[in-house]
Amino acid sequence: MTATDLKQRLIQVQTRIAAACQKVSRPAEAVQLILVSKTVPAAILRDALKAGGLIFGENKAQELKYKAVELQDTAIRWHFIGHLQSNKIKDILPSVEMIHSVDNLALAQKLNQRLQEKSQKLAILVQVNTSYEESKSGVSPEQALELLKQVSELPQLQLHGLMTIGALSQDEQRVRDCFKRLRELSQQAQQLKLFANEHPELSMGMSGDFEWAIEEGSTLVRVGSAIFGARQL
Ligand SMILES: *Cc1c(COP(=O)(O)O)cnc(C)c1O
């Protein structure tokens, strides 16, 4: 894809985000776009940065690590959005500003320990499997509050909200139900004062469903193929 095409697609997505916000009377700044750049070469990310991209999401630790090195001369900001193995924590900690996908206590504890050694803190989200699809990571909605309580007590982790992936379905109601479930959990956790920030993040919405997610309260949308095109396998 040429730099011009990429810029056009990015503007299209930004316009759709603004329109979805307007539909439910939310300010456009209430939603941040994360450009999901997995499998996309670093050279294209440079074009995306020039076109106005700010935050990029990767789901593999190795890939994030080498792209971060290649792009260290830029102002790129990295979020990690994939399944994280604890032996890969060290690869991403130097470059990430947020991990969206903490879904078990052992991982949270290892992250906390590693951060403690470096006297660092890190913003994290807890991933919830709101669709109950077996292929998906995430703590179950029933166990989420318990995990959130435990994670909120780890001093190096700043619990900033929740993340989910909507059901893989064309059925709008089914997809929206996932997002509603996440929002309700977030409200419960907020009442229990489990979040480190006043306005917790809801990371939900991808290329196929981000408008519905925004209408349900998303604050972070993770959009890949609508910007970069279909991924090569
Ligand atoms: C790949 C991925 C996305 C983006 O998916 P698209 O459908 O290409 O927008 C969002 N979130 C996660 C966790 C992903 O792995």
Side-chain angles (χ1 to χ4, degrees):
M1 194 185 311
T2 68
T4 313
D5 290 341
L6 180 62
K7 181 163 189 171
Q8 254 167 14
R9 295 177 74 129
L10 177 58
I11 290 170
Q12 245 167 33
V13 167
Q14 286 165 334
T15 307
R16 285 169 60 191
I17 290 172
C21 286
Q22 196 171 33
K23 191 170 163 196
V24 289
S25 304
R26 300 181 62 200
E29 310 81 65
V31 178
Q32 268 195 309
L33 169 63
I34 297 167
L35 290 81
V36 176
S37 50
K38 59 194 190 198
T39 77
V40 179
I44 309 267
L45 271 64
R46 278 186 197 276
D47 293 338
L49 281 161
K50 286 196 194 113
L54 295 171
I55 308 176
F56 291 70
E58 291 283 341
N59 71 337
K60 295 219 165 68
Q62 290 303 111
E63 189 173 344
L64 192 154
K65 184 183 171 184
Y66 76 70
K67 282 182 186 166
V69 171
E70 280 190 61
L71 294 167
Q72 60 190 342
D73 59 311
T74 70
I76 196 162
R77 293 161 59 189
W78 295 108
H79 284 202
F80 190 76
I81 61 171
H83 178 69
L84 182 58
Q85 289 168 289
S86 45
N87 63 341
K88 301 282 170 63
I89 290 173
K90 60 181 185 312
D91 295 330
I92 66 165
L93 276 194
S95 38
V96 283
E97 68 173 37
M98 184 182 279
I99 297 177
H100 290 225
S101 41
V102 174
D103 66 357
N104 67 83
L105 183 61
L107 174 64
Q109 286 169 331
K110 285 189 183 124
L111 262 174
N112 185 65
Q113 189 189 345
R114 189 85 197 179
L115 288 159
Q116 214 147 30
E117 289 160 12
K118 310 175 100 201
S119 304
Q120 283 177 9
K121 296 200 175 198
L122 183 67
I124 61 129
L125 308 178
V126 163
Q127 181 175 355
V128 184
N129 186 0
T130 54
S131 68
Y132 296 92
E133 285 167 15
E134 273 178 34
S135 59
K136 294 209 170 103
S137 306
V139 63
S140 74
E142 289 71 24
Q143 290 166 338
L145 281 178
E146 186 57 33
L147 179 60
L148 289 166
K149 281 179 198 158
Q150 291 164 328
V151 167
S152 72
E153 283 165 13
L154 298 171
Q156 311 309 116
L157 300 186
Q158 298 177 310
L159 181 56
H160 274 203
L162 305 179
M163 181 273 234
T164 200
I165 299 174
L168 185 67
S169 166
Q170 304 297 319
D171 180 349
E172 176 172 348
Q173 200 51 52
R174 267 195 66 200
V175 179
R176 279 183 186 263
D177 283 346
C178 295
F179 300 147
K180 284 194 182 114
R181 216 165 268 145
L182 198 72
R183 189 183 63 215
E184 284 162 10
L185 274 172
S186 169
Q187 285 162 347
Q188 290 169 20
Q190 205 172 10
Q191 276 163 8
L192 296 169
K193 303 200 184 334
L194 299 182
F195 293 120
N197 50 345
E198 196 185 343
H199 300 291
E201 306 286 354
L202 288 175
S203 169
M204 54 192 201
M206 318 200 325
S207 292
D209 57 20
F210 69 82
E211 279 126 331
W212 297 336
I214 289 169
E215 290 177 36
E216 299 296 347
S218 171
T219 65
L220 297 169
V221 291
R222 311 178 308 267
V223 180
S225 46
I227 296 168
F228 294 110
R231 282 178 290 276
Q232 318 277 323
L233 293 176

